[in-house]
Amino acid sequence: MTVTHRAAVLGSPIAHSLSPVLHRAAYGELGLTGWTYDRFEVDEAALPAFLDGLGPEWGGLSLTMPLKRAVIPLLDEISDTAASVEAVNTVVLGEDGRRSGDNTDIPGMVAALREHGIEEVDSAAILGAGATASSALAALARICTGEVVAYVRSEARAAEMREWGERLDVDVRTADWSHAAEALRAPLVVATTPAGASDALAAAVPERPATLFDVLYDPWPTELAARWSMFGGAVVSGLDLLVHQAVLQVERFTGRSPAPLEAMRHAGEQALAAR
């Protein structure tokens, strides 16, 4: 195979990333035989030199933690979506050398919810207040007509979430994590916490839960998602998010649309099952 175009995911740690599986599946389905997609362990200190070393064959980069904010000063432009949360997970590399940053996590969240029939909700709850929570707020800005309650562990995090709400024009109220079980009665619950952090809430799932969007995908299901499903609630998974945001990346990198959503999802499911 003659390599004509390159793309990759960067981050630290990066060995766990499913992005190569998803992107390579898309290239195969689209017949893009000259495209390759790799993963590179890159931290904030190494990022400038890595970008400067890229040749003209590079089409795009996917970024994970801790690079989503660190990359911004190194770019020529960023989209309004990325600017709204000060986070870039997608860099398109132009033939003229321009570096354009975007955020596909936010529209990816919206697309994953719409795929499960969630077009609009009148209120929502967010578990956690990290970087993913701000993207969740930006997604909710597009589909939630009322209040979003964020359940957090510290006043500093609470203040951050209220500030994000003001910036994104979302009506945000914060509550202490000790009351997080109350979140589970919302029409839409978005769990943005690390693995294990929400396990204890599984016992508090109501008898008729609505929709849970749990951004984790490995291990899956989480205890919260498993209990939610057992009680008949709708569950959107982190793999749904990962696939939908990767679809948008593939389209931006290659110029080919639509990207093969189902082939990418199937490849992701197979890779997770093999772990």
Side-chain angles (χ1 to χ4, degrees):
M1 180 185 79
T2 302
V3 174
T4 55
H5 295 86
R6 296 188 68 184
V9 60
L10 316 181
S12 183
I14 200 62
H16 68 287
S17 176
L18 271 185
S19 292
V21 170
L22 303 181
H23 284 254
R24 290 168 187 169
Y27 301 162
E29 193 76 10
L30 292 169
L32 298 174
T33 55
W35 278 79
T36 64
Y37 189 101
D38 302 295
R39 62 165 71 90
F40 292 95
E41 182 87 16
V42 178
D43 61 13
E44 293 128 307
L47 184 60
F50 186 93
L51 292 177
D52 289 342
L54 299 179
E57 74 279 11
W58 282 85
L61 299 169
S62 310
L63 302 179
T64 185
M65 299 307 291
L67 305 178
K68 293 183 180 184
R69 191 159 290 171
V71 75
I72 293 175
L74 308 175
L75 302 175
D76 295 300
E77 60 191 359
I78 67 171
S79 68
D80 291 343
T81 302
S84 73
V85 290
E86 296 177 10
V88 166
N89 77 325
T90 304
V91 177
V92 178
L93 302 164
E95 292 180 3
D96 58 356
R98 284 186 70 79
R99 303 168 182 169
S100 303
D102 199 1
N103 185 308
T104 63
D105 285 332
I106 294 164
M109 283 186 177
V110 174
L113 285 164
R114 285 186 174 149
E115 186 179 40
H116 286 76
I118 309 298
E119 298 277 349
E120 186 178 282
V121 290
D122 57 15
S123 63
I126 294 178
L127 299 174
T132 308
S134 59
S135 291
L137 266 184
L140 289 171
R142 303 182 182 193
I143 66 165
C144 183
T145 60
E147 183 181 69
V148 176
V149 185
Y151 292 82
V152 300
R153 295 184 187 275
S154 71
E155 180 48 42
R157 290 291 199 181
E160 282 180 19
M161 289 299 282
R162 290 192 294 268
E163 187 179 323
W164 280 117
E166 288 180 18
R167 289 183 55 173
L168 295 163
D169 197 24
V170 179
D171 180 13
V172 174
R173 177 167 64 87
T174 55
D176 189 79
W177 184 261
S178 60
H179 300 290
E182 297 170 7
L184 308 186
R185 301 188 179 279
L188 172 62
V189 181
V190 185
T192 69
T193 50
S198 296
D199 285 357
L201 295 175
V205 173
E207 284 188 12
R208 291 183 178 83
T211 300
L212 171 69
F213 190 166
D214 195 326
V215 303
L216 295 172
Y217 62 83
D218 187 17
W220 188 261
T222 62
E223 288 193 26
L224 182 59
R227 181 95 170 172
W228 202 275
S229 294
M230 190 173 79
F231 278 58
V235 175
V236 186
S237 76
L239 182 61
D240 293 323
L241 166 60
L242 194 68
V243 171
H244 277 282
Q245 66 81 28
V247 159
L248 297 169
Q249 288 184 337
V250 168
E251 292 172 353
R252 284 161 173 68
F253 294 170
T254 68
R256 295 283 293 274
S257 183
L261 173 72
E262 289 309 323
M264 294 167 71
R265 191 199 315 274
H266 181 64
E269 288 170 346
Q270 283 192 312
L272 285 176
R275 286 187 177 179

